[in-house]
Amino acid sequence: MKIALMDSGIGLLAATAAVRRLRPDAHLVLSLDPDGMPWGPRTPEDLTQRAVAVAEAAAAHRPDALIIGCNTATVHALPTVRARLEPAIPVIGTVPAIKPAAAGGGPIAIWATPATTGSPYQRNLIKDFADGVEVTEVPCFGLAEAVEHADETAIEAAVAAAAALTPKDVTTVVLGCTHYELVAERIRTAVQRPGFPPLVLHGSAGAVAAQAFRRIGEQPAPGATADGTLTVILSGREGALPEPALAYEEGRLLQAIASAR
C-alpha cells in the first residue's frame, strides 16, 4: 500500500505522521513545492497550477491515495486535482475540524491564516456546522511561516499574538491550518486559562488519515510491521525532508523511516 501526501511545505507532517501511526506498513510519498512556496499569497489560479504539478509528481509514483495536506490548497485546488487524478487515485482534502468542535459546544475559536479568516469558505463551514455555537475567528499572523522555518522566536511571538485575540472563555480551539498542529501544545499552553476546564484542540490530521484508508477500503493496523518506506519529492525532484522538519516530533518520526532505507 502506498499513500501520497502533498503541500507546498511541511504542513503535511502532521497528517503524514498520522498515516504512519495508523499503518506503519504503508509506503509514504511526500510531494512538496519548495520552488513555489508559500502558496498562500498566490492567486487561486496560480496556486491551483502549482498544486496540480505537485499532485502529478506524486501520482507518478502510483499511490493508492493522495492527501492534500493543506487547507488553502484544498479550498482552491481540490476540484481540479480530483478531476485530473480520480477515479484512478482517490484524492482527500483537508478541512478545518469545525463540525466535531461544534458538536462539543462552545465557545470556539478558529485559528487560521489571515487569508482564511473571514473568508466565504470558512464562514460557510461555520454556518453549516456551528450554527448556534459561539465562534470567534482568530487570524494568526505569521504563524504558518514561522512553523515552516522552525523559527522559535517567531513561533512564540505569533502564538502569543493569536492567544491575545482569543476570548478568555473559549473552551475549544480549531487548528485551521495544518502547520498549527505541529505546535499544538504551545497553542494549548498559551490559550489555557487558570481555573478553566482543560482546553480542547481539534486538528484534522487523524481524520484525514482515517478517511484516506476508508477511501481505499483499508483498515487501520497500528500493530502492522513497520516496514513502510518514505520518498520525498521537492518540486518534482526526489530529495530529502527539509531541515526545519526535524525540529518537530512528526518530522523526526519520518526521518527515522528515511534513515532505515
Side-chain angles (χ1 to χ4, degrees):
M1 180 182 14
K2 186 180 290 184
I3 305 293
L5 299 97
M6 58 170 278
D7 190 2
S8 62
I10 64 173
L12 51 60
L13 286 180
T16 308
V19 170
R20 174 68 178 181
R21 292 180 179 118
L22 287 176
R23 288 298 297 259
D25 58 334
H27 301 292
L28 304 173
V29 177
L30 307 190
S31 188
L32 287 70
D33 188 26
D35 293 355
M37 67 175 296
W39 283 349
R42 293 181 176 273
T43 65
E45 295 77 17
D46 191 18
L47 187 155
T48 298
Q49 184 178 12
R50 302 291 313 189
V52 167
V54 169
E56 289 182 338
H61 288 254
R62 302 172 64 86
D64 296 291
L66 171 66
I67 293 170
I68 300 180
C70 172
N71 297 92
T72 303
T74 297
V75 172
H76 296 297
L78 178 60
T80 303
V81 174
R82 278 185 166 158
R84 292 286 188 97
L85 301 184
E86 291 190 340
I89 301 173
V91 180
I92 297 90
T94 300
V95 177
I98 294 172
K99 183 176 181 180
I108 294 169
I110 304 173
W111 282 35
T113 64
T116 299
T117 300
S119 66
Y121 164 73
Q122 183 159 290
R123 290 281 167 87
N124 285 335
L125 288 175
I126 294 169
K127 178 178 150 187
D128 290 344
F129 299 122
D131 189 34
V133 177
E134 185 179 342
V135 176
T136 300
E137 296 179 271
V138 177
C140 302
F141 294 95
L143 181 53
E145 294 81 2
V147 172
E148 178 68 34
H149 295 100
D151 184 331
E152 293 293 328
T153 302
I155 291 170
E156 184 177 350
V159 168
L165 298 175
T166 303
K168 296 185 183 303
D169 61 346
V170 155
T171 60
T172 304
V173 173
V174 175
L175 304 177
C177 170
T178 54
H179 280 82
Y180 302 170
E181 296 191 50
L182 301 177
V183 292
E185 289 311 310
R186 298 189 211 191
I187 293 172
R188 184 193 304 279
T189 299
V191 178
Q192 180 69 58
R193 312 295 181 186
F196 279 74
L199 187 73
V200 178
L201 297 182
H202 281 276
S204 303
V208 166
Q211 175 66 4
F213 291 124
R214 280 195 292 270
R215 287 289 305 274
I216 63 175
E218 292 283 350
Q219 296 294 322
T225 303
D227 54 6
T229 58
L230 176 70
T231 301
V232 178
I233 309 163
L234 305 174
S235 298
R237 309 173 301 271
E238 190 161 339
L241 282 172
E243 189 67 27
L246 305 184
Y248 305 104
E249 177 185 351
E250 294 86 346
R252 293 190 293 272
L253 170 67
L254 301 177
Q255 180 63 22
I257 304 171
S259 299
R261 288 183 68 180

mmCIF file of all heavy atoms in Angstrom, residues 7 33 44 55 104 115 136 138 150 237 239 247 258:
data_model
loop_
_atom_site.group_PDB
_atom_site.id
_atom_site.type_symbol
_atom_site.label_atom_id
_atom_site.label_comp_id
_atom_site.label_asym_id
_atom_site.label_seq_id
_atom_site.Cartn_x
_atom_site.Cartn_y
_atom_site.Cartn_z
ATOM 1 N N ASP A 7 1.808 19.173 -0.263
ATOM 2 C CA ASP A 7 1.680 20.514 0.312
ATOM 3 C C ASP A 7 2.816 21.338 -0.270
ATOM 4 O O ASP A 7 3.756 20.776 -0.864
ATOM 5 C CB ASP A 7 1.776 20.449 1.840
ATOM 6 C CG ASP A 7 1.402 21.756 2.537
ATOM 7 O OD1 ASP A 7 1.028 22.723 1.850
ATOM 8 O OD2 ASP A 7 1.503 21.806 3.777
ATOM 9 N N ASP A 33 6.676 21.590 -2.553
ATOM 10 C CA ASP A 33 6.973 22.561 -3.606
ATOM 11 C C ASP A 33 7.867 23.690 -3.084
ATOM 12 O O ASP A 33 7.442 24.853 -3.026
ATOM 13 C CB ASP A 33 5.666 23.143 -4.161
ATOM 14 C CG ASP A 33 5.882 24.021 -5.384
ATOM 15 O OD1 ASP A 33 6.883 23.811 -6.099
ATOM 16 O OD2 ASP A 33 5.044 24.910 -5.617
ATOM 17 N N PRO A 44 -5.642 32.252 -6.743
ATOM 18 C CA PRO A 44 -6.208 30.904 -6.810
ATOM 19 C C PRO A 44 -5.782 30.137 -8.063
ATOM 20 O O PRO A 44 -5.513 28.932 -8.006
ATOM 21 C CB PRO A 44 -7.716 31.156 -6.793
ATOM 22 C CG PRO A 44 -7.863 32.435 -6.035
ATOM 23 C CD PRO A 44 -6.674 33.261 -6.433
ATOM 24 N N ALA A 55 0.790 17.486 -7.373
ATOM 25 C CA ALA A 55 -0.035 16.277 -7.327
ATOM 26 C C ALA A 55 0.395 15.283 -8.401
ATOM 27 O O ALA A 55 0.470 14.068 -8.154
ATOM 28 C CB ALA A 55 -1.507 16.646 -7.504
ATOM 29 N N GLY A 104 -19.173 19.579 20.363
ATOM 30 C CA GLY A 104 -18.868 19.618 21.795
ATOM 31 C C GLY A 104 -19.328 20.887 22.477
ATOM 32 O O GLY A 104 -19.061 21.094 23.667
ATOM 33 N N ALA A 115 -5.609 34.964 5.506
ATOM 34 C CA ALA A 115 -6.345 34.819 4.248
ATOM 35 C C ALA A 115 -7.596 33.966 4.417
ATOM 36 O O ALA A 115 -8.617 34.205 3.765
ATOM 37 C CB ALA A 115 -5.441 34.215 3.185
ATOM 38 N N THR A 136 -15.398 32.424 17.427
ATOM 39 C CA THR A 136 -14.528 33.571 17.157
ATOM 40 C C THR A 136 -13.467 33.147 16.154
ATOM 41 O O THR A 136 -12.786 32.137 16.356
ATOM 42 C CB THR A 136 -13.827 34.057 18.443
ATOM 43 O OG1 THR A 136 -14.815 34.450 19.400
ATOM 44 C CG2 THR A 136 -12.911 35.246 18.150
ATOM 45 N N VAL A 138 -9.947 33.715 14.614
ATOM 46 C CA VAL A 138 -8.701 34.331 15.073
ATOM 47 C C VAL A 138 -7.663 34.287 13.951
ATOM 48 O O VAL A 138 -7.192 33.203 13.582
ATOM 49 C CB VAL A 138 -8.153 33.617 16.326
ATOM 50 C CG1 VAL A 138 -6.819 34.231 16.755
ATOM 51 C CG2 VAL A 138 -9.170 33.679 17.468
ATOM 52 N N ALA A 150 10.688 26.726 11.315
ATOM 53 C CA ALA A 150 11.093 26.321 12.674
ATOM 54 C C ALA A 150 11.784 27.477 13.391
ATOM 55 O O ALA A 150 12.775 27.293 14.089
ATOM 56 C CB ALA A 150 11.983 25.085 12.635
ATOM 57 N N ARG A 237 11.560 16.858 -7.975
ATOM 58 C CA ARG A 237 12.847 16.163 -7.870
ATOM 59 C C ARG A 237 12.882 15.358 -6.581
ATOM 60 O O ARG A 237 12.503 15.859 -5.526
ATOM 61 C CB ARG A 237 14.001 17.181 -7.860
ATOM 62 C CG ARG A 237 13.954 18.197 -8.999
ATOM 63 C CD ARG A 237 15.029 19.272 -8.816
ATOM 64 N NE ARG A 237 14.879 19.993 -7.565
ATOM 65 C CZ ARG A 237 14.133 21.097 -7.434
ATOM 66 N NH1 ARG A 237 13.449 21.582 -8.456
ATOM 67 N NH2 ARG A 237 14.066 21.714 -6.265
ATOM 68 N N GLY A 239 14.263 14.053 -3.243
ATOM 69 C CA GLY A 239 15.201 14.677 -2.303
ATOM 70 C C GLY A 239 14.996 14.152 -0.899
ATOM 71 O O GLY A 239 14.654 12.979 -0.709
ATOM 72 N N ALA A 247 12.798 19.720 13.404
ATOM 73 C CA ALA A 247 12.551 20.418 14.667
ATOM 74 C C ALA A 247 11.298 19.889 15.359
ATOM 75 O O ALA A 247 11.071 20.184 16.533
ATOM 76 C CB ALA A 247 12.416 21.920 14.419
ATOM 77 N N ALA A 258 13.260 7.274 6.798
ATOM 78 C CA ALA A 258 14.183 7.510 5.699
ATOM 79 C C ALA A 258 15.568 6.942 6.007
ATOM 80 O O ALA A 258 16.230 6.369 5.148
ATOM 81 C CB ALA A 258 14.270 9.005 5.408
#
